[in-house]
Structures are given as structure tokens and as C-alpha cells.
Amino acid sequence: MSSITVSPSTGVLGRFGQYGGRYIPESLIPACQAVAEAFAEAWADPGFRGSLSALLSAYAGRPTPLTPALRLSAELGVTVLLKREDLTHTGSHKINNVLGQALLARRMGRTRLIAETGAGMHGVATATAGALLGLPVKVFMGERDVERQAHNVFRMRLLGAEVIPVTTGSRTLKDATSEAMRHWVTDTDEAYYCVGSVIGPHPYPTMVREFQRVIGDEARRQCAAELASAVPDYVVACVGGGSNAAGTFAGFVDTSARLIGVEAEGGSGASHGALGVLHGFQSLFLQDEHGQIQEAHSIAAGLDYPGVGPEHAYLRDLGRARYVTVSDSEAIAAAVRMARAEGILPAIESAHALAWVARAAGTPDLPSGSTVLVTLSGRGDKDITTLIAEADL
Amino acid sequence: MTKLLMPYITGGVVAGWTAYLRAFEDAGADLIEVGLPFSDPTVDGPTIQEASDAALARGATPGSILAEVAADPVTIPLVASTYANLALRPGFGDALTAAGVTGLIVPDLPLDELDQLQVPGIAVSLLASPATPDDRLAEIGKRSQGFVYAVSVMGITGERDRLAPSAATLATRLKQITDLPILIGFGISSPEQAAEAAEVADGVIVGAAVMRRILDGASPATLGAFVGTLRAALDVR
């Protein structure tokens, strides 16, 4: 188990075992190759890494704290440590990736950013980076998500971004992603497609993981300082496409920690998906017996995606990470519980990870006395409307 | 040399859709592209996306569409087109062969991933794009079968007011690297555009312009007449 490493290089086609690859129209091949080459060059350039680190600390608020959840730990009988991505600028881990990609876009001479968003946090982060670096931003967002994430839509517009509601299909993240790809192909010379998760054609899954591994690397150092065992017994993160989990896992994949990815019951690509191809990559997708992609349904817009990043599918096959599901109501209950026990309102996405910890604590899945690192991928302010409707207070 | 005309239809888009295949054949089409609809057609514009949604809403599946094709055959070659998620499923090639389909286009399965596609006996035509560099274009010419699909413009499928200048440039580049027929598609909407494209290419593929008419309720006879105008424009030259 400890011999597995997650290399920054996944080969020309960006394969994680049978997953990953580059399944895109011929017109997008040169654009993807350009991103891959530019990323490899930038990531090897201390100047680029230095600029990104400086932005992450001076602008995004890194490092984020590791907060022991004392009251929750006492309630559950396990030691819970929270990696606080909710405390970053813009309120979620999305900013880590976006600052990296926006710097890359500028280095490539691109003059516009395109993004897709579900919960809106990636859209807000992209709009923020666009404002910071002077790059106009176009955000594609499913019409349903536009309705349920009205505050984030307004935030994006406030930041100067153009939000384009997508009315096709399920009108959620899946369709926003399709529309962003359709738009990108018309404007590859000027526009940079800033993908929001560890999905999409190579190099995006690898690149986004590398931009997010700051979460896992920091948490590893912080756990070493906090825990007698240095490494937690369990590392838990929510998984939609899976970027916060990929970044967190990257810091622990070579340790003895058990990695747990928590999916929404209605968006459980890693748990219940079948091998397929969508949005430029091969992975596990919810689909019917004829190969049509099924719509995901989650109360958390950020988890409302029918597939999972290719590296997660691979980690699952290897047995290195385990993927579990949590229901909408369990996630809501976990969000409320966290707010009351710790004074922290997590994003409903992150509450899925907490919900699994609450459910599993004291069982063979998560024995009493274990130490558990949970990534709080974002804060719950954006979910107030949903909580008003769903939480029984 | 006669210029080739390949109209497109989304399989299962309306009840009795195979009547359009016969109308296309009678109107002088050389081949017909039959789309097997996919839930998330990222390479297609609004018209073909709407047609795909309509077909799926009617319960069309690759199996049902191919069964309808087999039950109501035409004599000109049929080329299936669909997305990688459907084309990479086990048994897909056998299903095409059983239905009498002899060609295949998978727009989101580029050269690099082609080895995964197992469809023996089916001619797989690759797409070439205005952005494709020369060395890659040569490889596409080598590995394409039947014809090369020249994508006229950096964009998605759909009707356009005029033929993009990139179409002729790409067709000219392709003619230098392969002896396969070069068919231009994406945006060919009128007989005039078809004729213009065929000045450099060996033929045209007409999709959205056909599908918009079908979605608007046009009969097979009306579509046959439209395909006839494309045929005439290509033959006048």
C-alpha cells in the first residue's frame, strides 16, 4: 500500500490505469496539448511555483489551519481533525486550483477564462482570479444551479464575470461542462478553459490534482505536528468530480492512512458508476444499460455530477481508496451538527464527509479511538437557502 | 469525378424515420450518416442536440435504431456516427455489421485513443480540424478509412450563413496527404455552400440543415427535395 505513489507525470495520454485519456474533438487536441506542455513547463519552473505560492499565502490565505474538532470528537469517540479549506479566500478549496490555472493562462498568453460551475464556488473562484489578473471570465452554469445558488451567481456578476445559464439536459453541472467545452472549441486561440475539478481531458485531472495537493501536503505537515502517530488513521473527503479529495489524498497516498471518498447517494460515480467516456475522459459514470449518461441528483450542487475523476476510479480499483455514499438528509444533519458542536457551518458538499464520519464512528469502518482527518472543502454560507428549506430547526 | 453527398439523420428522431433514408437515396445521396443519439453530445450544436434529445425521449437506443435500419434497408452505404461512450461498448462493431452499416464516425475519439475502438470490418473515418498540425494531419490521412471528415470550422455542428474560409484551406491540405475522399462537414447549410465546398473537397456532409427541417415537421418528400437541390448543386460544376 505504501509503495503507491501518485506521480505528476501520467504519460502522454494522462492515464491512471485504464482511466483518464483525452476523448475530445480533433479541434480541441492542439489546445489540450498546449495546456499540457505549458503546465509541465510551468510546474518545473521555480518562478511559476514561487508566484503561485506567494498568491496562495498573500491572497488566498494559506496555509489554512488544521482545527481539532474537540466537541465532535468527544461525541463520536474518534479524534476528528478538520482541514479548513472553508477559510480560504472565496470560501472553498476551489481557489487553489484556479489561481494556478489563471496564472498558467496568463503565462500562455490567453486573454479570457472559461469555466463551468455547479455549486458556484468554482465560478466564484474563477471570477475572483479573473478580476485579480485582469482576465475576463465566462462561467457556464446549469439553469437549476443558477436558481439554487443565486447568491453565488450574484457574487460572480459582482466580480465582473458573465454567467451563462445552461438550459439543456438536466440543467446542472454535467450540462454546464458540456456547454463550456462547446464554447471552448470556438475560441481556443484566446480563451483558456479553467476546469474546476479533477476531470476532463489530459492534462486537467493531473494538473488540478497538483494544484490541489497543497491541501494534502499542508495537512500532512500539520498532522505530523498534531498527532503522536504523525499520520491520521483515516483521511476523509467528499467527492463530486473529486478535486478536494484528490488534493487531500495526494498528501497521504504514500502513508498507511486509509483514504475514504464520500459521494452523494445520487451522484455516486465511484461507488455505482460503470466504465465510460464523458467530457473528454474515461472513468466511472452513472449510465443506463444502453450507455446513456444518467442525471445525478444531490442536494449539494457541487456533488451533482454523474462521474468521478479518473484518478479516483484508479485508486478505487487499486483498493487504495474506498468510496462510500451518504444521503441528502444525512448530509444536512451533519452540517447542522457541525454548526452546533463546533461553530463551523460547512458546505453541504463537505458535510457529506462529516456525515460518513458520524455514521461510521464506533463501527468496524471507523473504530473508536481512531484519528480522522476530514477536509472541509468549503463553507456553508452559500447553502443557507437550502438549509432553510431542508433543515428541521 | 462525381462529388459525394452524405446527408445526416439522427436515428429514431421521429416515428417512421427510416422513410427519410429512402428519400435521401432516391434524391441522389451517395452515403447516409445515421447518428446514434447520446445523452451528452458535446460536439453537436443545438439542432442535433435537440434531435438527439427527441430520439432518446422516444426511447430510441442504438439497438432499436440499428434494428429499424436492418428492417428497412437502403442500397447506398450507411455510416453510423456516435460518441465514444457508445462506440467503445463491447459488441458495438458486431451490431453495426448486423444492421448492414459499413462505416463509423466517432467525433470524440481522436487518433490517440483510436486503438481502443474494436469494430472489425467497419471503416472508421477520422475527423481533421483546421487546427490540426501537418504531422498529425498526415497520421489522420494514414489511419482514416473510407474518407476523411474535414471539419470546416473551429466550432460545433450547426447551420452557418457562409462557408468558413478554413474549410477550403483544410481540404487543400488534406488533398496533399491522402488519396482518400475528403468530405467537408459542420455548417454546410445550402446548395450554394455545398457547391463552394466541393470546389476543393470531394463531397459534403449536411447535418443540421437536414435535422432542422425534420424537427420542424418536414416530410420525407420535402427532405428528398432539399437533398435533391444539394445533389443538383454538386452536379452542376
Side-chain angles (χ1 to χ4, degrees), chain A residues 354-366:
Chain A
L354 295 163
W356 180 81
V357 172
R359 186 214 291 163
T363 75
D365 278 345
L366 180 55

Side-chain angles (χ1 to χ4, degrees), chain B residues 89-115:
Chain B
R89 291 169 70 83
F92 182 72
D94 293 342
L96 295 183
T97 303
V101 172
T102 53
L104 177 63
I105 300 164
V106 188
D108 63 341
L109 196 76
L111 199 58
D112 325 74
E113 307 287 358
L114 197 59
D115 288 344

Side-chain angles (χ1 to χ4, degrees), chain A:
Chain A
M1 189 177 281
S2 61
S3 65
I4 295 164
T5 55
V6 178
S7 152
S9 164
T10 46
V12 176
L13 290 178
R15 287 277 170 190
F16 302 88
Q18 66 181 320
Y19 307 108
R22 197 182 268 161
Y23 301 81
I24 49 176
E26 182 61 29
S27 292
L28 285 177
I29 292 281
C32 272
Q33 282 173 341
V35 174
E37 284 160 22
F39 171 67
E41 210 177 75
W43 212 225
D45 173 5
F48 179 85
R49 300 282 284 256
S51 302
L52 179 56
S53 287
L55 268 186
L56 287 173
S57 61
Y59 187 73
R62 303 212 71 87
T64 59
L66 186 74
T67 304
L70 298 177
R71 280 163 37 93
L72 196 67
S73 297
E75 284 177 23
L76 297 175
V78 295
T79 300
V80 178
L81 300 170
L82 305 172
K83 181 59 177 163
R84 300 291 306 281
E85 295 305 294
D86 59 316
L87 292 181
T88 56
H89 179 50
T90 73
S92 86
H93 72 290
K94 296 291 188 185
I95 194 73
N96 306 325
N97 165 48
V98 163
L99 287 175
Q101 289 200 52
L103 279 183
L104 185 68
R106 197 169 67 175
R107 183 181 166 107
M108 292 175 73
R110 299 293 191 263
T111 56
R112 284 191 280 280
L113 300 178
I114 302 168
E116 84 296 313
T117 196
M121 299 312 286
H122 174 60
V124 167
T126 309
T128 299
L132 179 71
L133 299 181
L135 299 167
V137 174
K138 219 174 250 203
V139 180
F140 294 87
M141 190 169 184
E143 199 177 42
R144 277 186 56 207
D145 293 336
V146 167
E147 286 160 15
R148 58 183 172 170
Q149 299 292 344
H151 284 91
N152 271 344
V153 172
F154 183 73
R155 283 173 78 190
M156 286 181 253
R157 289 181 173 146
L158 198 58
L159 290 159
E162 183 186 354
V163 179
I164 301 165
V166 175
T167 57
T168 51
S170 57
R171 297 176 291 127
T172 60
L173 180 57
K174 166 173 90 80
D175 309 284
T177 306
S178 295
E179 201 57 41
M181 289 183 71
R182 287 192 189 98
H183 183 80
W184 189 29
V185 76
T186 67
D187 195 18
T188 51
D189 289 341
E190 298 292 327
Y192 177 93
Y193 182 14
C194 186
V195 174
S197 191
V198 284
I199 63 166
H202 177 63
Y204 284 99
T206 304
M207 177 169 68
V208 175
R209 181 205 62 213
E210 288 302 286
F211 285 140
Q212 291 294 4
R213 76 181 302 139
V214 65
I215 304 172
D217 287 347
E218 274 178 19
R220 174 92 173 257
R221 288 194 294 275
Q222 292 166 322
C223 284
E226 184 76 23
L227 296 173
S229 59
V231 170
D233 299 319
Y234 291 81
V235 172
V236 185
C238 65
V239 174
S243 69
N244 90 89
T248 306
F249 290 177
F252 294 92
V253 75
D254 61 344
T255 72
S256 60
R258 291 166 198 264
L259 309 179
I260 310 284
V262 185
E263 299 188 289
E265 226 163 55
S268 50
S271 303
H272 299 126
L275 184 65
V277 173
L278 181 70
H279 295 151
F281 66 107
Q282 187 159 52
S283 190
L284 300 169
F285 295 96
L286 300 177
Q287 50 190 313
D288 69 15
E289 74 266 35
H290 304 293
Q292 306 299 345
I293 302 297
Q294 291 184 318
E295 292 176 12
H297 296 285
S298 171
I299 198 160
L303 304 186
D304 213 345
Y305 187 72
V308 66
E311 188 171 6
H312 287 296
Y314 182 55
L315 291 173
R316 185 200 76 154
D317 285 4
L318 291 176
R320 180 62 192 94
R322 184 177 161 218
Y323 295 85
V324 296
T325 64
V326 153
S327 70
D328 287 352
S329 57
E330 282 178 292
I332 295 284
V336 173
R337 183 173 191 169
M338 171 65 78
R340 295 189 167 184
E342 303 292 340
I344 297 169
L345 178 62
I348 297 179
E349 286 78 6
S350 315
H352 283 70
L354 295 163
W356 180 81
V357 172
R359 186 214 291 163
T363 75
D365 278 345
L366 180 55
S368 297
S370 305
T371 52
V372 189
L373 171 75
V374 181
T375 299
L376 280 196
S377 57
R379 66 181 187 223
D381 307 39
K382 69 182 174 58
D383 297 318
I384 291 294
T385 310
T386 305
L387 288 166
I388 289 170
E390 301 289 335
D392 190 18
L393 301 182

